[in-house]
Amino acid sequence: MNKLAFLFIFLVIVLTGCKSTGKPRVSYVQPSANTPSATFIGEESPQKIFVKGHEYIYICKVGEGHQSKDSFNTETRIALGKAKFSVCYLEGGNFSEIPFEMELKNETTYQLKLGEHQYTKVNFYVVDTQTGKTIIGPMTVPKDSLFEPVILY
């Protein structure tokens, strides 16, 4: 095969690219300011020298819409009524997600709080900031590694 034919086939393969088989990730869009909503605020633990730290707990998914860990310190508003959302924990390569389905009835602000945790699991709870009462938790969920080991022989 001559070099020109090889170059042509190579360019066709490279320029046609790959087709993605997954669905595109949808970002969560908060309800408008005049929509009755419950508000959730995440939490970040401070970095500690030579020990664990920089842990985040936040609302990472509402319905089909996703949010990044950067949403931990901003309010996430969810319209009142039946809501499906996920609370996520992130620390280094450890990640946990727990889905919830609940009826949001009041325009209340909730604080997500980190509880006691170990290397393989984490506890968290949800507090109503107006009453100080814990409404969910403590809940214990396993930590999953975001990185699977690759073994090469």
Side-chain angles (χ1 to χ4, degrees):
M1 177 157 57
N2 68 27
K3 291 180 183 180
L4 188 56
F6 177 77
L7 179 62
F8 175 75
I9 293 171
F10 176 77
L11 287 174
V12 167
I13 292 170
V14 170
L15 294 176
T16 56
C18 299
K19 181 182 178 199
S20 175
T21 57
K23 294 190 310 188
R25 190 173 182 139
V26 177
S27 293
Y28 175 60
V29 178
Q30 298 199 38
S32 65
N34 59 356
T35 301
S37 307
T39 303
F40 291 82
I41 302 171
E43 182 178 65
E44 174 191 24
S45 70
Q47 179 71 40
K48 299 174 184 123
I49 297 174
F50 302 119
V51 291
K52 297 173 73 65
H54 249 43
E55 299 161 300
Y56 302 92
I57 189 160
Y58 58 102
I59 300 290
C60 60
K61 189 175 178 184
V62 180
E64 295 300 315
H66 295 265
Q67 293 194 123
S68 75
K69 73 170 179 64
D70 298 326
S71 68
F72 76 89
N73 64 351
T74 59
E75 295 182 346
T76 299
R77 290 181 299 106
I78 302 174
L80 297 183
K82 190 172 185 177
K84 290 174 77 172
F85 60 94
S86 292
V87 173
C88 288
Y89 165 84
L90 179 66
E91 183 264 328
N94 294 314
F95 177 81
S96 292
E97 177 178 347
I98 183 147
F100 286 95
E101 190 169 326
M102 63 187 289
E103 188 75 27
L104 298 174
K105 298 178 182 175
N106 301 317
E107 292 186 60
T108 303
T109 300
Y110 300 103
Q111 175 75 52
L112 304 172
K113 299 291 239 173
L114 286 165
E116 294 295 319
H117 55 280
Q118 301 170 354
Y119 285 100
T120 58
K121 56 188 170 185
V122 63
N123 294 330
F124 73 91
Y125 49 101
V126 180
V127 175
D128 182 325
T129 60
Q130 294 171 349
T131 65
K133 291 177 120 179
T134 299
I135 62 156
I136 298 173
M139 299 206 55
T140 303
V141 293
K143 295 180 184 178
D144 295 323
S145 176
L146 289 173
F147 309 104
E148 295 295 327
V150 175
I151 301 172
L152 300 173
Y153 291 96

